[in-house]
């Protein structure tokens, strides 16, 4: 990036000036502007920073408080009239990529001779093909190419730059700025993003806590319970079978009991009755089921009879009145109006009498005419429901009677069974009594086994359902666990990526620091005259510079002003080259305190240190000696002098060709 | 006419009550389908004049599984509430049914699971006979 030209209009002592900078051809990368102290050299630097950032960053005490508008322009202004200050900076970013930065401040002369800034405009026009386009966000563009926070590293006043290297408690480490100018913010962005993602994943991983083990334990527990239940069921079946078997054996014994016919007959009767009660119980259960279904079916119709009757009467009423089916449906009328034509062909256009008639009909037509068929069908359904109810009472009585009859028969059969049992228990034969007692026990045990079997079957069904649910849950948790493991893999990767990025960042920073240190050291020793007084230059990780003497002691405090300036120049040159940051350099008073010999060294070496970079030197006559000029000439593309004129109306500075 | 209704909803809090009624050993509604439980809850809501809005809801019965008799009763209740015009809006018709079911489920559960006054089937029968005897059939 180079500065192509700078135009100043009514800017301080510059009324109307255009400075063309060295175009960087044939190895000529330097522009020299020579001027006496106070002639306006530093204001060229101020003009550049004002154009870029809206601030004159190098304003001396002399100019502080003075308006930016040139005194000449002020004095020519009438009271309350306004005038513009303009600084236009043309930058070439690439061979055909031109940017014109223009800042304009409109200043008004007040009644009491004061000058106030009314408005300030800042625009950037950039080249796109053959067109010049206006940038939407000019400040953002400036921040991208020439950020203000590091502008000291390419627009610097050597007199002040020296301050960096004085050991003073006010000195702030410049590591952050070096980081910025070295464009290592990319690392910071990468690290920041990685750390953010890492934190997000870590949080997600914590929250997502799959319960695989817990669910598995639950399943195992339920399966254990299921196994026990199944064993219980088997035991009940065995018990039922055994009791049933014993019952059968004893029954046979009683049926064939020798020489006791009444016992045989009683047992036969008992068996018949047992079969009967079994059948009756089945029938009672079936009838109860049917009765249950019947009641569930009837309940809505009976409980909601009132609304059923109401709906039926309402619809029937409409049918009886002839409202349903209607002569005309609302739908039909709406379609006619939409089509603006009747089915007979009569026009129903807006405003017509016929249309008005149809609209009137529509107004009188109920929306329910659209569901005429449904209403008629609904009436039939309601009538059907009401009809069904007529048989409710008979059916209800029928079910009750059927159940009651069967229950009565069952009761009678059971009573008789009890009576048979009592007879056999009290019979005059001990053996028969024992057999009967055993039989009753077997019956009770069988019944108990059947009851328990029934309950256990329910329990098993419920457990199987629960296990099925838990298995589904287990599958879900396993999926979650897999996702979580994936997440953990990603987390590990993120962690490694962060470590690697930090390592690379540190390495790159270290390399940059090493290189800057080496170049600064080499350049410093090439430029200074008392080479033997110093041993080396060190730059620590905070970019604090240390100059060591031969004995290895810190000697930065012992440097002369000129030596500090040389050190400053060496460091800035090293930083600009190593960082690769593409910006033109403008140095004000680079040689102010430097004596002859190092000055000549600078003339020889500085262009090569800053090869490829556009360099503008704002120098005094004392700095730009003929000797210096001769040495640096081959690298100078443009050379100017500031012609300063003190006038009553206002000072004037002109930038003219050196010769 | 508005679009068809796909399913009927119940309150999310009531899901457990319905499950209990379905699973209760020897329970009157054990093994019955969702549509039957829904209708029973609805008529209990109507009987007790209890209608609740559904905030958090869950689909419970597909409309296509209802029989004609159930649909007729549902529509009759809606007509009683909002007039014949309600039939123009099926969403509204079923919404009324859902609200009555939401209001009735607690009454239904309480009555079915209660041991007081004999078995539920007996109590239900008595209720229906009592109501039936009062109505004048068309």
């Amino acid at each position: 990036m180079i500065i192509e030209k700078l135009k100043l209009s009514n800017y301080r002592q510059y009324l109307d000036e255009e400075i063309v900078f060295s175009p960087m051809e044939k190895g000529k990368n330097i522009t020299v502007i020579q001027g006496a102290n106070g002639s306006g050299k530093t204001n060229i630097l101020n003009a550049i920073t004002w154009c870029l950032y809206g601030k004159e960053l190098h304003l001396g005490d002399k100019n502080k408080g003075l308006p930016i508008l040139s005194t000449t322009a002020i004095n020519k202004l009438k009271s309350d009239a306004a005038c513009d200050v303009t600084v236009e900076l043309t930058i070439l970013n690439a061979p055909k990529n031109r940017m014109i930065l223009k800042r304009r401040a409109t200043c008004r002369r007040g009644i009491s001779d004061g000058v106030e800034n009314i408005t300030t405009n800042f625009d950037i026009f950039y080249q796109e093909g053959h067109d010049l386009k206006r940038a939407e966000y000019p400040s953002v563009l400036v921040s991208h190419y020439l950020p203000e926070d590091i502008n000291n590293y390419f627009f610097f006043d050597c007199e002040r730059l020296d301050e960096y290297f004085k050991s003073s408690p006010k000195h702030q480490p410049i590591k952050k700025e070096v980081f910025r100018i070295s464009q290592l913010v990319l690392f910071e962005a990468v690290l920041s993003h990685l750390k953010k993602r890492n934190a997000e994943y870590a949080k997600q991983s914590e929250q997502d806590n799959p319960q695989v083990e817990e669910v598995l334990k639950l399943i195992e527990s339920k399966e254990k319970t299921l196994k026990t239940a199944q064993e219980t069921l088997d035991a009940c079946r065995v018990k039922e079978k055994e009791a049933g078997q014993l019952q059968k054996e004893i029954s046979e014994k009683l049926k064939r009991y020798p020489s006791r016919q009444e016992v045989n007959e009683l047992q036969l009767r008992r068996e018949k009755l047992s079969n009967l009660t079994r059948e009756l119980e089945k029938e009672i259960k079936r009838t109860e089921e049917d009765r249950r279904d019947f009641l569930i079916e009837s309940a809505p119709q009976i409980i909601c009879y009132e609304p059923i009757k109401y709906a039926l009467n309402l619809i029937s009423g409409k049918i009886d009145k002839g409202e349903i089916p209607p002569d005309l449906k609302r739908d039909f009328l709406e379609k006619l109006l939409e089509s603006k034509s009747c089915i007979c062909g009569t026009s129903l256009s807006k405003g017509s009498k016929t249309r008005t008639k149809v609209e009137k009909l529509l107004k009188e037509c109920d929306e329910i005419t659209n569901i005429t068929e449904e209403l008629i069908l609904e009436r039939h359904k309601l009538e059907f429901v009401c009809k069904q109810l007529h048989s409710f009472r008979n059916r209800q009585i029928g079910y009750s009677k059927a159940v009651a009859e069967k229950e009565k028969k069952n009761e009678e059969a059971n009573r008789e069974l009890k009576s048979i049992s009592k007879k056999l228990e009290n019979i005059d034969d001990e053996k028969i009594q024992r057999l009967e007692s055993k039989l009753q026990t077997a019956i009770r045990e069988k019944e108990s086994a059947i009851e328990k079997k029934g309950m256990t079957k329910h329990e098993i069904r419920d457990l199987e359902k629960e296990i099925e649910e838990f298995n589904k849950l287990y599958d879900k948790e396993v999926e979650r666990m897999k996702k979580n493991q994936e997440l953990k893999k990603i987390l590990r990767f993120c962690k490694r990526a962060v470590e690697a990025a930090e390592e690379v960042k540190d390495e790159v920073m270290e390399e940059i620091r090493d290189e800057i240190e080496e170049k600064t050291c080499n350049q410093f020793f090439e430029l200074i005259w008392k080479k033997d007084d110093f041993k080396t230059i060190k730059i620590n990780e905070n970019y604090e510079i240390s100059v060591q003497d031969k004995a290895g002691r810190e000697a930065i405090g012992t440097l002369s002003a000129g030596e500090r300036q040389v050190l400053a120049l060496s460091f800035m040159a090293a930083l600009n080259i190593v960082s690769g940051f593409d910006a033109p350099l403008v140095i004000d008073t680079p040689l102010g305190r430097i004596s002859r010999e190092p000055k000549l060294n600078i003339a020889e070496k500085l262009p090569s240190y800053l090869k490829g970079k556009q360099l503008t030197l704002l120098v005094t006559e004392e700095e730009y000696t003929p000797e210096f000029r001769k040495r640096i000439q081959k690298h100078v593309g443009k050379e100017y002098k500031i012609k300063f004129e003190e006038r009553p109306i206002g000072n004037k500075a002109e930038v003219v060709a050196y010769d | 006419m508005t679009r068809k209704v796909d399913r009927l909803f119940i309150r999310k809090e009531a899901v457990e009550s319905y499950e209990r009624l379905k699973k209760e050993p020897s329970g009157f509604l054990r093994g019955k389908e969702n549509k039957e439980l829904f209708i029973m809850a609805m008529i209990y809501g109507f009987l007790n004049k209890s209608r609740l809005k559904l905030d958090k809801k869950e689909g419970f019965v597909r409309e296509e599984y209802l029989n004609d008799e159930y649909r007729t009763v549902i529509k009759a209740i809606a007509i009683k509430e909002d007039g014949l015009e309600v039939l123009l809006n099926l969403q509204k018709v079923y919404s009324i049914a859902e609200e009555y079911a939401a209001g009735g489920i607690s009454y239904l559960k309480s009555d079915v699971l209660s041991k007081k006054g004999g078995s539920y089937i007996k109590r239900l029968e008595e209720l229906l006979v009592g109501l039936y005897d009062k109505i004048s059939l068309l």
Side-chain angles (χ1 to χ4, degrees), chain B residues 120-138:
Chain B
Y120 176 71
I121 193 167
K122 190 174 144 214
R123 283 183 278 121
L124 178 65
E125 194 174 43
E126 279 170 11
L127 169 71
L128 293 179
V129 167
L131 285 170
Y132 184 84
D133 288 343
K134 286 182 189 157
I135 60 181
S136 46
L137 285 174
L138 289 168

Side-chain angles (χ1 to χ4, degrees), chain A residues 291-293 305 389-390, chain B residues 28 30 32 125 132 138:
Chain A
R291 185 179 161 206
R292 183 179 75 145
D293 290 345
Y305 185 73
L389 278 176
H390 282 273
Chain B
F28 179 75
R30 186 182 172 86
K32 284 294 167 191
E125 194 174 43
Y132 184 84
L138 289 168

Side-chain angles (χ1 to χ4, degrees), chain A residues 288-289 291-293 295-315 318 324 366-368 370-371 374-375 378 381-382 384-393 396-397 399-400 458 461-462 465, chain B residues 1 19 23 25-32 36 39-40 42-44 46-47 68-73 75-81 83-88 90 119-122 124-125 127-133 135-138:
Chain A
E288 284 283 17
E289 287 282 333
R291 185 179 161 206
R292 183 179 75 145
D293 290 345
L295 289 174
I296 290 173
E297 184 194 302
S298 308
Q301 293 157 10
I302 294 173
I303 290 174
C304 299
Y305 185 73
E306 193 201 316
I308 290 170
K309 191 172 155 187
Y310 174 83
L312 180 58
N313 285 341
L314 198 60
I315 296 170
K318 290 230 177 247
I324 292 169
D366 219 328
E367 254 197 281
I368 58 162
N370 286 343
I371 51 166
E374 193 186 322
L375 286 171
E378 210 52 46
K381 288 181 185 174
L382 288 162
F384 178 74
V385 163
C386 289
K387 223 177 182 169
Q388 271 192 312
L389 278 176
H390 282 273
S391 61
F392 168 76
R393 203 63 172 99
Q396 177 263 324
I397 290 168
Y399 279 118
S400 293
H458 283 309
R461 238 195 324 267
D462 289 343
K465 238 182 175 172
Chain B
M1 284 275 271
E19 288 297 307
K23 286 182 180 169
S26 318
F28 179 75
L29 293 167
R30 186 182 172 86
K32 284 294 167 191
E36 280 141 338
I39 292 296
M40 285 298 288
M42 182 191 80
I43 62 177
Y44 260 77
F46 180 77
L47 188 65
D68 270 349
E69 282 80 17
Y70 287 160
R71 285 197 190 96
T72 301
V73 172
K75 284 179 186 175
I77 291 175
I79 291 169
K80 183 80 168 82
E81 296 285 305
L84 279 178
E85 288 76 17
V86 77
L87 294 183
L88 290 161
L90 274 180
S119 69
Y120 176 71
I121 193 167
K122 190 174 144 214
L124 178 65
E125 194 174 43
L127 169 71
L128 293 179
V129 167
L131 285 170
Y132 184 84
D133 288 343
I135 60 181
S136 46
L137 285 174
L138 289 168

